[in-house]
Structure formats: C-alpha cells, structure tokens
Amino acid sequence: MLRRLVHVGARELSRAQSSTATAEKWDLYAGVLVERLPVVSKALNPLEKQFQDLLWRVEYENSLKSNHELKHEREIVQAELIKQGKIQVDLEDGGSKQTAQDLKDAYVEELKKFQLGSRTTPDDQANKTTSTDRCLEETLYLLVQQKLGQQEHLILPQGKRQEGESMRQTAERVLRERCGQELQVLFYGNAPVGFHKYKYPSNQRTESVGAKVFFYRASLRSGQVPEKVTKFEWLPKEALNGKLTNAAYAESIKKFLL
C-alpha cells in the first residue's frame, strides 16, 4: 500500500513538473483605437425636432423682453403720440435716427441671405474612406493594414512590446511606427480599454504560443496617416464588421466601442 502511494505521488510530481516545463508563454502587444470624434451634432429625428420646438416655445413664453423689444415698444407709443400731436418732432434729428423697426428689417434681409452649411462633403460623395472629412455626424475609427502570419489584414494599429517599455509607451511607439509622425493624437489614459488574444498557427510557434493584445484609446487631434506609409481607412462603427475579417477579433473590438 505504501509502495503504491509513493508511486502515485511520484507520478503526480512528474506530471506537475512536466506541466510547469511546458507552461504557455505569450507575447504582449499594444493596440491603439484612434477615433476621429463627430464634427457636428447628429441631425434630429422628427420626434426630437418636435420636442425641441416645444422647449423653444416654453423658453420664449417664459423669457423677459430684450432691450430691442422694449425700444420698439417705446417707439410705437412715441409714434402714436406724435400722430395725435401731443409731442413735437425735432425734424433735424428725426431724419437720421435709426429705429428698432429699421434694425429688424435689416436683420431679416441679412437672415434671408444666410445658408446653412452642408452636412455632407465631397469626400462623402466620393466615399473616400482615407479621409477624415466625411461622416461628420459619426465617430470614425482608424484601421491600418498589417501582416499577421502570412496574410495582410485591416486591424487597429498594434505592435509587440519591447523590453523596458510600459504598455502605454508601446502603444505610443506603435502608432508612430505604423502611422507616421504627422498623426497627432491624445491618449485618454495609462490603462487599456480592451483586450484580445490569439494563438499563432502551430507551424509558426517558436518561443510563444500566441499574442495578448491590450488596446488603448486615443482621439485624433490633427494630421493624417501618409498614404505612402501604409494602407489605411477611417470607418464608422457600422462599417467595421465588414473590414474586420476575424470574428473573434471583431467581437473583442466591439466590446469597447462607444
């Protein structure tokens, strides 16, 4: 019995040692979600427009009269008194005086000339996905073409962590290397907002079995990715699924999109 227990214990120890020796090693990667925030507010739907009109009407009914309105009312009373002969008009001053009604007429004429800016741009019409001057109501996300294994994929910019770097420093370096120096962004913090991992093909594994990618969020401040650096696209949220060909990767990205 004792001999049997010793044998079982030795076997379990050997199994544990073997498991430790073959423990999986993962490469650490940093990815960057670069977003171009909306340039204009979204157009109101019919219900929102109706509610906005209601709020404006309530605000107008509860508001105090402006100086222009008070001046206009005084001038109406003054004109009536002049008509009745109760006050005299200084003819020298009366001809050069600009009344509140004159100002209102001038403002109305100026308003008629005003045209609202278009919510669409020439790049919208041309469907130029490399431009940030499009989809002004939406948030656009940057995808770049990178080689994963033997194939090219459109993904969020990512790269392997180097010795001595923090993950945030890796994210900043990766963005410079993948997207050039012209792209200026603001990182939101030192903590990642998302995570994804994947295993390398069996025939491509050396020291590591796969990659663990930690994603950081950043917003576009200025600049653009030079077209000579890499192939890239700026896409709204609903268009990402058509470009992210790996379903698991797309699902991981979807979790931290706003």
Side-chain angles (χ1 to χ4, degrees):
M1 182 68 177
L2 181 60
R3 183 180 299 175
R4 182 179 178 184
L5 290 175
V6 171
H7 177 70
V8 172
R11 186 176 59 187
E12 293 298 325
L13 178 59
S14 176
R15 182 179 299 171
Q17 290 174 338
S18 175
S19 176
T20 302
T22 59
E24 294 181 340
K25 179 183 177 183
W26 294 78
D27 291 330
L28 297 183
Y29 280 70
V32 188
L33 176 75
V34 183
E35 52 188 14
R36 192 232 57 195
L37 299 175
V39 178
V40 298
S41 59
K42 283 185 177 292
L44 302 180
N45 62 40
L47 179 60
E48 291 171 335
K49 184 67 169 59
Q50 183 180 2
F51 183 64
Q52 184 186 62
D53 292 341
L54 174 62
L55 292 179
W56 282 349
R57 187 162 65 250
V58 171
E59 181 179 359
Y60 175 76
E61 292 173 353
N62 294 333
S63 64
L64 299 177
K65 293 181 180 178
S66 67
N67 292 337
H68 176 80
E69 291 172 312
L70 294 175
K71 180 182 178 182
H72 185 47
E73 290 179 356
R74 288 195 301 268
E75 290 176 348
I76 292 176
V77 173
Q78 186 180 34
E80 184 63 28
L81 292 176
I82 293 173
K83 182 178 180 181
Q84 295 174 6
K86 295 182 179 180
I87 61 175
Q88 297 297 320
V89 180
D90 188 341
L91 297 178
E92 293 183 0
D93 294 339
S96 60
K97 182 180 179 181
Q98 187 179 42
T99 65
Q101 185 61 47
D102 293 333
L103 282 173
K104 181 178 180 180
D105 292 341
Y107 295 156
V108 170
E109 288 300 317
E110 185 176 354
L111 179 61
K112 289 179 180 179
K113 300 176 183 178
F114 177 77
Q115 297 292 330
L116 290 173
S118 175
R119 287 179 170 266
T120 59
T121 69
D123 289 341
D124 277 308
Q125 299 170 6
N127 194 28
K128 187 178 179 181
T129 57
T130 57
S131 171
T132 55
D133 189 28
R134 56 186 287 272
C135 299
L136 302 182
E137 298 182 7
E138 307 291 338
T139 298
L140 296 181
Y141 301 98
L142 175 64
L143 297 183
V144 299
Q145 184 171 279
Q146 290 187 221
K147 189 173 183 179
L148 299 179
Q150 302 300 319
Q151 296 182 331
E152 299 281 349
H153 299 272
L154 276 175
I155 60 174
L156 302 183
Q158 72 175 47
K160 188 177 179 181
R161 174 183 173 272
Q162 296 179 357
E163 189 66 30
E165 285 184 332
S166 68
M167 295 303 295
R168 163 70 182 268
Q169 290 171 336
T170 301
E172 294 174 344
R173 175 180 56 79
V174 164
L175 199 60
R176 290 193 302 269
E177 293 176 351
R178 300 293 183 184
C179 303
Q181 301 289 342
E182 298 177 18
L183 194 71
Q184 300 298 316
V185 304
L186 173 66
F187 279 83
Y188 288 137
N190 294 322
V193 297
F195 171 77
H196 177 69
K197 70 176 183 179
Y198 57 92
K199 288 190 174 183
Y200 302 142
S202 301
N203 59 353
Q204 297 179 20
R205 295 178 188 176
T206 54
E207 297 180 356
S208 304
V209 298
K212 293 185 177 181
V213 189
F214 296 86
F215 294 100
Y216 289 78
R217 185 185 299 273
S219 63
L220 177 67
R221 284 295 174 261
S222 63
Q224 177 60 290
V225 183
E227 295 189 9
K228 63 182 180 180
V229 172
T230 184
K231 181 181 178 181
F232 67 95
E233 294 188 49
W234 291 93
L235 299 172
K237 182 178 179 179
E238 60 271 13
L240 291 180
N241 283 340
K243 296 293 183 175
L244 301 175
T245 55
N246 185 283
Y249 182 82
E251 186 63 28
S252 296
I253 301 301
K254 182 180 177 181
K255 292 178 181 178
F256 55 88
L257 291 181
L258 298 180

